[in-house]
Amino acid sequence: MQHRGKLRTIFLSLVLIGALPFFFFFWVQSSSTRRHIPQVIQPFYRRSLHPKSMNRLSLSTHLSIDRLHSLLRLSDTWQGPISAAILVSNPLDLERIDLFIQRYDSIFRFVDIHYLVQSKEDTSNGIIYPVNRLRQLSLNYTETDYVILVDVDFVPNR
């Protein structure tokens, strides 16, 4: 447990000196291995250009990096505010998200992207897809009064 305090101190120091963007740092206990796994949460990694109005309806969803094409289909169809929490496992995933945003206008215009970092090693060691944490991340950072929580594979009618 001593390494946990040192790691948290290092991360907080890097944030305070501006070397890292502000993020939330959580420890999640693996049920199978009884060890604590760090998870980093970054709200509003990328903000959409779409103006927010509190009386509007937005969609809230979560996905892993391999489901980005489903997010594109959702944003193309919905054409309104979307809050999406994405599970990433390495820095290359963030580059992939950036390229995806640049390539597709509907993602750039309508989707606020938040991410949660969890390594693939943690996933293979008994930590499964953190559905509750991702869902809460997406819901907590919606900027409208009315929200529909949807699976990224479902495409609602406008």
Side-chain angles (χ1 to χ4, degrees):
M1 289 299 164
Q2 189 176 18
H3 71 281
R4 187 171 113 185
K6 288 180 183 177
L7 188 59
R8 184 178 300 168
T9 303
I10 291 169
F11 272 111
L12 290 177
S13 299
L14 289 172
V15 169
L16 291 175
I17 64 169
L20 292 175
F22 179 73
F23 56 78
F24 298 101
F25 189 66
F26 293 95
W27 290 91
V28 178
Q29 185 170 345
S30 166
S31 59
S32 62
T33 61
R34 295 289 184 217
R35 65 186 180 103
H36 290 277
I37 307 297
Q39 286 186 331
V40 176
I41 290 180
Q42 173 65 57
F44 295 109
Y45 174 66
R46 294 289 184 255
R47 283 188 180 263
S48 69
L49 294 180
H50 196 268
K52 308 297 188 299
S53 172
M54 291 308 286
N55 62 352
R56 294 209 51 194
L57 176 65
S58 65
L59 297 182
S60 174
T61 192
H62 56 85
L63 60 145
S64 58
I65 195 74
D66 62 329
R67 307 301 298 163
L68 283 174
H69 62 279
S70 296
L71 183 60
L72 175 61
R73 189 177 68 221
L74 183 65
S75 66
D76 282 342
T77 304
W78 181 249
Q79 298 279 310
I82 299 172
S83 176
I86 302 175
L87 179 65
V88 298
S89 59
N90 62 59
L92 294 176
D93 289 344
L94 294 177
E95 290 179 20
R96 189 172 165 195
I97 291 170
D98 288 338
L99 290 172
F100 197 77
I101 293 168
Q102 292 170 8
R103 178 179 287 164
Y104 299 108
D105 186 56
S106 66
I107 299 286
F108 187 71
R109 288 178 43 213
F110 298 114
V111 182
D112 288 330
I113 294 179
H114 325 286
Y115 70 79
L116 181 142
V117 177
Q118 180 174 293
S119 74
K120 287 193 183 284
E121 175 186 304
D122 297 332
T123 305
S124 63
N125 286 332
I127 302 291
I128 57 173
Y129 182 80
V131 63
N132 291 333
R133 184 151 327 252
L134 286 166
R135 182 178 56 233
Q136 284 306 113
L137 176 61
S138 177
L139 282 171
N140 287 343
Y141 294 101
T142 56
E143 296 182 309
T144 61
D145 285 336
Y146 305 102
V147 180
I148 298 174
L149 179 63
V150 296
D151 186 88
V152 74
D153 294 317
F154 294 154
V155 180
N157 290 333
R158 186 79 174 123

